[in-house]
Amino acid sequence: MAGIVLRNLEETRRMGRWLAAHLPGSGVRALLLRGPLGSGKTTLTSVLVQALPGGDEAEVASPSFTLCNHYPTTPPILHCDLYRSPGSLPDEILDGLENPAILTVVEWAEYLPPADLPEEILDISLQACEESRLITLQARGPGATALLQSLCAQWPESDG
């Protein structure tokens, strides 16, 4: 587990770009995003998507009402928001989690049953503070663990 303070919007963008540069090929199949409304889940996802190849073709928006958005990136991203569907997952989310070619980003991941998770995940909790955001990252699986170790080595402000 690691904690990182993002002091401003540019540092949040830096984190999204770092993830875009290092997630492909890492083995991580899902990013689980947790945090209250306004904590930065959609902002982080937007920067990640736009920094990937093909992201300039994507119109990133919170999938609060559609539940899932597909983005034409490499790798393809399925962006899901479970805020309105606790206890009942759309098949589309389960299909995305099972497909190793798709990176699934899930906002409000606390509503996702642990049994439905792939083996390689990066779990990110975001908490808005007065003038910053605290993110706590947990890895599950060897690829996710290596990714988190690399992030901590390159992000000097981390406590991991």
Side-chain angles (χ1 to χ4, degrees):
M1 182 171 10
I4 297 175
V5 174
L6 303 175
R7 290 177 180 76
N8 52 44
L9 183 56
E10 184 49 42
E11 287 191 1
T12 302
R13 290 180 180 136
R14 177 179 159 215
M15 176 64 68
R17 290 189 301 267
W18 190 94
L19 290 169
H22 294 88
L23 276 169
S26 71
V28 173
R29 302 244 325 274
L31 289 182
L32 307 182
L33 303 179
R34 306 170 193 272
L37 290 170
S39 62
K41 299 179 296 292
T42 302
T43 299
L44 183 63
T45 302
S46 177
V47 174
L48 164 67
V49 168
Q50 299 203 342
L52 286 169
D56 55 339
E57 302 288 322
E59 187 174 323
V60 181
S62 175
S64 294
F65 295 102
T66 59
L67 299 183
C68 296
N69 291 335
H70 295 267
Y71 303 122
T73 55
T74 302
I77 289 189
L78 174 64
H79 179 199
C80 308
D81 185 324
L82 301 182
Y83 184 73
R84 296 182 336 124
S85 61
S88 61
L89 295 179
D91 290 338
E92 189 174 13
I93 293 172
L94 297 174
D95 292 345
L97 290 169
E98 291 173 1
N99 186 337
I102 295 174
L103 175 61
T104 304
V105 179
V106 182
E107 295 189 32
W108 299 94
E110 52 270 28
Y111 296 129
L112 190 60
D116 293 328
L117 295 174
E119 290 183 22
E120 291 281 348
I121 60 171
L122 190 59
D123 196 320
I124 303 174
S125 295
L126 297 101
Q127 179 181 358
C129 304
E130 281 186 35
E131 295 183 16
S132 61
R133 297 210 180 325
L134 171 64
I135 64 169
T136 305
L137 303 102
Q138 292 183 302
R140 186 173 99 185
T145 300
L147 182 73
L148 183 54
Q149 290 171 343
S150 177
L151 173 62
C152 290
Q154 294 180 27
W155 204 284
E157 301 87 11
S158 75
D159 68 3

